[in-house]
Amino acid sequence: MDRRLAALANAHGVSTWYEDWRHRRVEVAPETVVGVLGLLGVDATSPSAIADALAAARAVDRSALPETVVLTHGRSRALPGPGVVTLEDGGRRAVDGELPADLPLGWHRLACADREVTLVVVPRRLPVPPSSWGWMLQLYALTSERSWGMGDLGDLAEFTGWAGDTGAGLVLLNPLHAVGPAHPVATSPYSPASRRFVNPLYLRVSDTAAYRAADPATRAVVDALRPDRGTLIDYDEVWAAKRRALELLHPYAQPVDLAADPALTSFATWCALAERHGNDWRAWPAELHHPDAPAVAEQRRRLADRVSFHAWLQHLCDEQLDAVTAAARSAGMPVGVVHDLAVGIDPGGADGWQLADVLAQGVRVGAPPDDFNQLGQDWGLAAWRPDRLAATGYAAYRDMLRRVLRHAGGLRVDHVAGLWRLWWVPPGGGAAEGTYVRYDAEAMLGILALEAHRAGAVVVGEDLGTVQPAVTRGLRGRNMLGSTVLWFARDEAGDFVPPARWPRNALATISTHDLPTAPGFLTGEHVRVRDELKLLGTDVAAERDRAAADRDRLLTMLRAENLLPAPTPQLPIATVASGGAEQRSDADPAPSDAAATPDDGEVVVAMHAALAASPTRLVGVSLYDVLGEVRQPNMPGTVDEYPNWRLPLPASVAQIRADPRVARIVDLLSAARPRPAGPGTAEAVTPPGQVSQSKRAGSPRKSA
């Protein structure tokens, strides 16, 4: 690669090479670097353009204040001269050549050296999370006698209250982000239209004030719209029924003050326009492509009732999420409900429309080739522009975090390595034809810590796969948790690592939504279904052998840890007594292997016992595992070939509460992870503003 192009790329945080999963250096194609620089507004299409752009980059005064200053509380920072800090509460402090270490946490303004910039003071670390366990729940999969074809927020409140009463300390959800209102309804919770607002598909219609205020005839019509539970979740059917029911109830609702929340008004406007023009704003008439355009204002007036309707739906979501939070608090959960933050958004969705000025237009986020995805991954998601985030004081990032954390006792950050760098695929390129773009990790992680601190929330980073050591160090240094998955807890030889060696600073689970369930792994369902879907290539027998070997390795570890009884093959009935010892006659058949093969249900219990025996701060239990579901929620590499995100749980909320398998796991985890005794104990949550000095146990986790 031309050295000037490489220097220009480095100046703008674009990688010209990276280390792959086998720790080999991979050079990035020059055309990829040029394409990604173009997404950052940097022209590198000719030698003269490269020279001009490089000269401009080198002319930047590195000693000047950055556009956003992120200061860790307790530390000072030199300034180019005297200045004034305008605090978040309106107070003012003069500073003389240095930002002091005692500035309060928060979002401030700094005037210095003829510039005024955003100043964010962030905490050094979050309080130490409590030691607890809880349920991992795909909410859409949960059903009850009152829900409409899929799980809803009423089901979640009931489940959360029950879980807390039985000793669970948290409920970890799939993302509840909003999707587009037009049909077909998006099924993946990880490709949302907006991460700032909530999917109204999860509303319980009968738990609204409007339903209670409606006349009996209207309620009867609404009740008749309820769809039955099917073998698969039909999002379009559920949304059509709920939307019609809520439209009937809207006249009974209190009006929403749109002026009080401009971002909500803009989102509701996008929803109203999407109903007319489709869920991808890029296909709308050109005059509607910008939320501040005069044509959009005119449409907002014409569609005022629909704008009001969609804003009302978000108020209902807030009310019902408040009820869920109250249920967790009433049950005494030390963590509560942990929401999931998707790594990106659908570029044609509401956030892509509203936040276009801070997004890289045309980029597709994904991942480079690895052992499981030889062609790389293209997730089709939009990405923040790091330069525009800094120039705008990270306001869009902050506001997104605040809205997600409003109802959260914790936040799981999907692909948390994206706070350090993301794999960008430029337009026209394949998934492998991308490169990494760097973000200001101190700013991204620090702002996350600040907003989580203010919300009193635990943070869990999904740091699976090939991640840089800086990611693990960064999470640990802020008292944020990483992720440990049993399937990936292996040594260099591929053997399962005993749970005592798992890291302390983590959420431990058996699997994830993208991996086999525990029963599916034990029965080889993940091999069977991938063979059926033609995802394995030609050597299916080798994959079956590998799955069988993995099962044997798992059983070996569980037995070595005394979590599963050792095999005791039965001797044949016909034996010959000799000297007090039983001996098999040569004529007798060999001992059967049946007694050496444990029951899958017992193995599943032993796997949960492994979670309980680990030192990890949090443990997550999947209902799919406990209820014996062999199908995994999502099959990577498929779209419509597999019922991704449409598999209901095999039991209703009432049946779950009465299931003896569930009771056994509850007893196991509650005994191993009893509720914290309160302040003053080693595991008690540290009060805000204080730092726990408790030592951290466990060896560092080796990522897969």
Side-chain angles (χ1 to χ4, degrees):
M1 183 175 295
D2 178 83
R3 62 179 180 81
R4 292 175 300 172
L5 177 59
L8 181 61
N10 183 63
H12 290 279
V14 178
S15 298
T16 58
W17 66 275
Y18 65 94
E19 188 178 89
D20 70 7
W21 83 100
R22 290 175 292 193
H23 306 295
R24 300 186 310 183
R25 180 181 173 117
V26 178
E27 302 291 337
V28 178
E31 54 268 26
T32 294
V33 173
V34 171
V36 170
L37 283 170
L39 295 171
L40 290 167
V42 180
D43 184 4
T45 55
S46 68
S48 61
I50 292 172
D52 291 344
L54 187 56
R58 287 171 173 169
V60 174
D61 184 1
R62 303 298 176 187
S63 65
L65 283 175
E67 293 171 298
T68 299
V69 175
V70 178
L71 179 68
T72 299
H73 186 262
R75 297 176 185 170
S76 59
R77 177 187 174 121
L79 294 174
V84 175
V85 175
T86 302
L87 300 174
E88 193 173 36
D89 63 5
R92 292 165 64 88
R93 287 184 62 174
V95 292
D96 187 11
E98 183 181 73
L99 287 173
D102 64 346
L103 286 173
L105 299 176
W107 294 82
H108 316 304
R109 298 292 295 174
L110 169 65
C112 180
D114 298 324
R115 295 189 66 190
E116 184 174 345
V117 300
T118 299
L119 168 62
V120 194
V121 181
V122 303
R124 286 186 61 192
R125 57 178 64 91
L126 295 176
V128 176
S131 177
S132 190
W133 72 277
W135 296 98
M136 297 191 300
L137 184 63
Q138 301 289 319
L139 179 54
Y140 58 82
L142 193 65
T143 57
S144 69
E145 293 182 355
R146 297 184 62 196
S147 52
W148 289 27
M150 63 180 285
D152 61 30
L153 294 172
D155 292 330
L156 178 59
E158 179 185 348
F159 180 86
T160 299
W162 165 80
D165 289 342
T166 57
L170 65 133
V171 174
L172 171 60
L173 301 174
N174 59 286
L176 303 186
H177 305 320
V179 299
H183 294 281
V185 176
T187 58
S188 173
Y190 290 95
S191 299
S194 174
R195 292 185 291 182
R196 298 176 300 156
F197 297 97
V198 180
N199 190 344
L201 267 167
Y202 290 112
L203 287 172
R204 174 169 286 182
V205 174
S206 59
D207 282 359
T208 62
Y211 178 86
R212 294 188 292 271
D215 59 82
T218 300
R219 289 202 300 268
V221 174
V222 167
D223 292 343
L225 291 169
R226 178 181 182 272
D228 294 328
R229 169 177 166 164
T231 55
L232 294 177
I233 295 166
D234 188 333
Y235 290 86
D236 284 287
E237 180 186 33
V238 172
W239 176 231
K242 286 193 176 183
R243 179 171 58 186
R244 180 56 186 148
L246 291 163
E247 287 169 345
L248 291 171
L249 297 174
H250 188 212
Y252 298 91
Q254 294 294 320
V256 175
D257 181 8
L258 296 176
D261 192 343
L264 172 59
T265 302
S266 183
F267 171 75
T269 300
W270 179 86
C271 290
L273 291 171
E275 288 181 320
R276 285 198 165 192
H277 303 289
N279 290 332
D280 190 341
W281 65 267
R282 297 168 298 182
W284 295 357
E287 63 269 20
L288 301 178
H289 281 192
H290 196 283
D292 295 330
V296 171
E298 175 60 25
Q299 287 297 308
R300 184 179 296 119
R301 286 190 292 270
R302 291 186 179 185
L303 300 173
D305 185 64
R306 298 308 296 171
V307 173
S308 173
F309 174 72
H310 288 287
W312 175 60
L313 296 186
Q314 291 303 309
H315 275 263
L316 294 180
C317 289
D318 283 339
E319 290 174 356
Q320 295 192 8
L321 283 168
D322 282 341
V324 173
T325 302
R329 187 179 300 116
S330 177
M333 283 188 163
V335 176
V337 178
V338 181
H339 287 258
D340 199 348
L341 180 66
V343 66
I345 55 166
D346 177 353
D351 284 358
W353 185 67
Q354 292 179 264
L355 306 177
D357 61 326
V358 291
L359 297 173
Q361 297 301 318
V363 73
R364 305 189 317 277
V365 172
D370 60 28
D371 191 24
F372 299 100
N373 300 277
Q374 298 289 335
L375 300 179
Q377 299 178 64
D378 180 353
W379 302 329
L381 302 175
W384 301 115
R385 266 185 63 164
D387 57 331
R388 293 298 302 155
L389 279 180
T392 55
Y394 290 86
Y397 177 57
R398 173 199 65 201
D399 294 345
M400 176 197 71
L401 291 173
R402 282 183 179 175
R403 287 188 181 271
V404 175
L405 285 165
R406 278 197 298 188
H407 307 286
L411 185 66
R412 175 191 178 271
V413 181
D414 190 45
H415 190 63
V416 74
L419 300 183
W420 280 259
R421 64 178 187 174
L422 272 177
W423 182 259
W424 284 24
V425 180
E433 299 169 324
T435 190
Y436 284 109
V437 173
R438 295 193 300 273
Y439 290 79
D440 185 340
E442 284 300 305
M444 300 293 282
L445 202 63
I447 292 168
L448 172 60
L450 173 60
E451 296 305 320
H453 172 87
R454 290 184 154 182
V458 170
V459 174
V460 178
E462 187 271 294
D463 59 345
L464 303 173
T466 304
V467 298
Q468 296 175 302
V471 176
T472 302
R473 289 197 303 268
L475 293 175
R476 185 171 58 243
R478 301 255 185 194
N479 278 343
M480 297 176 180
L481 303 183
S483 300
T484 293
V485 174
L486 175 61
W487 297 156
F488 296 149
R490 313 278 193 107
D491 59 20
E492 295 294 339
D495 293 325
F496 285 91
V497 173
R501 290 169 51 192
W502 296 0
R504 177 69 162 156
N505 195 58
L507 163 72
T509 64
I510 289 175
S511 186
T512 76
H513 53 258
D514 289 332
L515 295 170
T517 65
F521 171 83
L522 295 173
T523 60
E525 172 70 8
H526 58 303
V527 178
R528 186 200 66 77
V529 71
R530 284 188 296 153
D531 177 34
E532 184 179 281
L533 296 171
K534 309 302 181 188
L535 297 175
L536 292 180
T538 56
D539 200 354
V540 179
E543 191 68 20
R544 290 197 186 99
D545 290 343
R546 184 165 75 167
D550 281 345
R551 177 190 165 104
D552 289 342
R553 283 173 163 169
L554 174 65
L555 298 183
T556 297
M557 184 274 286
L558 294 175
R559 286 166 174 153
E561 296 300 303
N562 295 317
L563 301 173
L564 189 69
T568 54
Q570 296 293 320
L571 292 173
I573 294 176
T575 57
V576 178
S578 174
E582 290 188 325
Q583 297 180 346
R584 183 175 63 88
S585 166
D586 291 340
D588 293 330
S592 170
D593 288 335
T597 304
D599 175 76
D600 283 354
E602 293 302 315
V603 178
V604 170
V605 172
M607 293 160 78
H608 286 95
L611 298 184
S614 75
T616 57
R617 293 200 175 275
L618 297 181
V619 166
V621 179
S622 169
L623 281 166
Y624 287 104
D625 294 338
V626 179
L627 296 175
E629 176 61 71
V630 298
R631 300 171 297 175
Q632 63 194 67
N634 179 56
M635 182 66 65
T638 66
V639 180
D640 297 320
E641 306 93 323
Y642 184 85
N644 295 320
W645 316 113
R646 291 181 288 151
L647 296 173
L649 286 167
S652 67
V653 175
Q655 291 168 330
I656 290 168
R657 297 173 63 166
D659 195 301
R661 295 170 296 181
V662 172
R664 187 173 181 184
I665 297 301
V666 166
D667 291 343
L668 171 67
L669 270 299
S670 293
R673 302 281 176 127
R675 288 278 178 81
T681 63
E683 293 299 329
V685 178
T686 308
Q690 298 183 22
V691 177
S692 170
Q693 300 300 319
S694 60
K695 295 182 179 180
R696 309 169 69 82
S699 57
R701 182 178 59 80
K702 192 173 185 63
S703 63

